[in-house]
Amino acid sequence: GAVVSQHPSRVICKSGTSVKIECRSLDFQATTMFWYRQFPKQSLMLMATSNEGSKATYEQGVEKDKFLINHASLTLSTLTVTSAHPEDSSFYICSASLYRNNEQFFGPGTRLTVL
Amino acid sequence: AQSVTQLGSHVSVSEGALVLLRCNYSSSVPPYLFWYVQYPNQGLQLLLKYTTGATLVKGINGFEAEFKKSETSFHLTKPSAHMSDAAEYFCAVSKLGGGKLIFGQGTELSVKP
């Protein structure tokens, strides 16, 4: 149980385009989902916390208009990187929990490369 | 505020040797503590966690960790390393009750034959 998937696993796009990454909880309803960013050989940095049906809470320094997060259902959250640039290239990982303060279950990650 | 410090960005051991990955935390409230493992280009897998109760926590794959409040530490150990243990390991802390995770910098474990 507690499986979280991400799609796509890998995406390459041109600079200036937008990319959407999906995070799904497959066998449970996730009231809270978290989005992390990980640079090579570095730790995970929390970007934002999303609660189903409400606006996401962004961490300090994360551009809300750049990284659009939607948590429209209890099993799906999406991260859209708008007008992507090479510096947005990174590994994006989502996690999901049943409640805000419950254990997080992590997705396999999405490798974004912006040319 | 909470923070996590992992001592040593890279640890190398021989197969069969003891694995010791160090983690110290700072928290103004009782913490929940976690160890995760990450294989290349994959997400995180929970190894073990401490919430309340017994301070020696046993996890998957033969790993265990001990919560020492007086030392603000939560070091991860395994008696005998296996080649398949080679990966990146992250220590993390959250507030009592869970929620937002704060990760350490990570320790890359290499296992030599």
Side-chain angles (χ1 to χ4, degrees):
Chain A
V3 179
V4 177
S5 69
Q6 281 185 242
H7 179 79
S9 59
R10 187 180 298 266
V11 57
I12 301 173
C13 70
K14 293 182 179 180
S15 184
T17 61
S18 294
V19 175
K20 180 183 285 188
I21 301 170
E22 293 184 347
C23 176
R24 294 182 183 273
S25 57
L26 299 184
D27 52 3
F28 69 103
Q29 294 184 322
T31 57
T32 303
M33 288 185 171
F34 302 83
W35 285 96
Y36 297 85
R37 183 174 181 176
Q38 184 181 32
F39 290 104
K41 301 294 185 181
Q42 294 189 28
S43 188
L44 281 74
M45 299 298 296
L46 180 65
M47 299 174 66
T49 303
S50 74
N51 294 295
E52 185 266 337
S54 62
K55 290 184 178 180
T57 302
Y58 290 80
E59 295 298 302
Q60 191 173 7
V62 177
E63 299 176 59
K64 300 178 183 182
D65 296 331
K66 175 75 172 175
F67 300 99
L68 299 178
I69 292 173
N70 183 280
H71 192 164
S73 77
L74 287 172
T75 58
L76 174 65
S77 176
T78 60
L79 167 67
T80 301
V81 183
T82 62
S83 186
H85 291 283
E87 57 266 30
D88 299 324
S89 298
S90 190
F91 195 52
Y92 292 88
I93 303 175
C94 74
S95 69
S97 64
L98 179 57
Y99 299 108
R100 183 177 181 83
N101 292 329
N102 267 27
E103 178 179 342
Q104 295 181 35
F105 299 95
F106 286 82
T110 296
R111 173 75 61 194
L112 171 63
T113 303
V114 184
L115 303 176
Chain B
Q2 296 180 305
S3 66
V4 176
T5 301
Q6 290 182 239
L7 299 176
S9 59
H10 186 260
V11 170
S12 181
V13 300
S14 297
E15 191 173 20
L18 171 72
V19 175
L20 171 60
L21 304 183
R22 300 178 186 273
C23 172
N24 288 89
Y25 70 91
S26 172
S27 178
S28 58
V29 297
Y32 279 9
L33 293 160
F34 306 80
W35 274 101
Y36 290 90
V37 61
Q38 184 181 33
Y39 296 98
N41 295 309
Q42 294 187 27
L44 273 66
Q45 180 182 10
L46 179 66
L47 281 176
L48 48 80
K49 64 180 178 181
Y50 168 78
T51 54
T52 58
T55 56
L56 181 62
V57 181
K58 294 187 184 298
I60 62 172
N61 302 338
F63 285 93
E64 63 181 36
E66 185 171 10
F67 170 60
K68 292 187 177 181
K69 184 178 179 180
S70 62
E71 299 177 8
T72 60
S73 69
F74 191 58
H75 301 331
L76 181 71
T77 60
K78 182 174 180 178
S80 178
H82 192 272
M83 296 296 290
S84 60
D85 294 327
E88 188 83 17
Y89 291 80
F90 292 97
C91 182
V93 64
S94 72
K95 294 185 298 186
L96 189 66
K100 179 176 169 180
L101 285 168
I102 306 298
F103 286 90
Q105 304 91 319
T107 298
E108 182 181 3
L109 175 66
S110 300
V111 182
K112 299 174 292 185

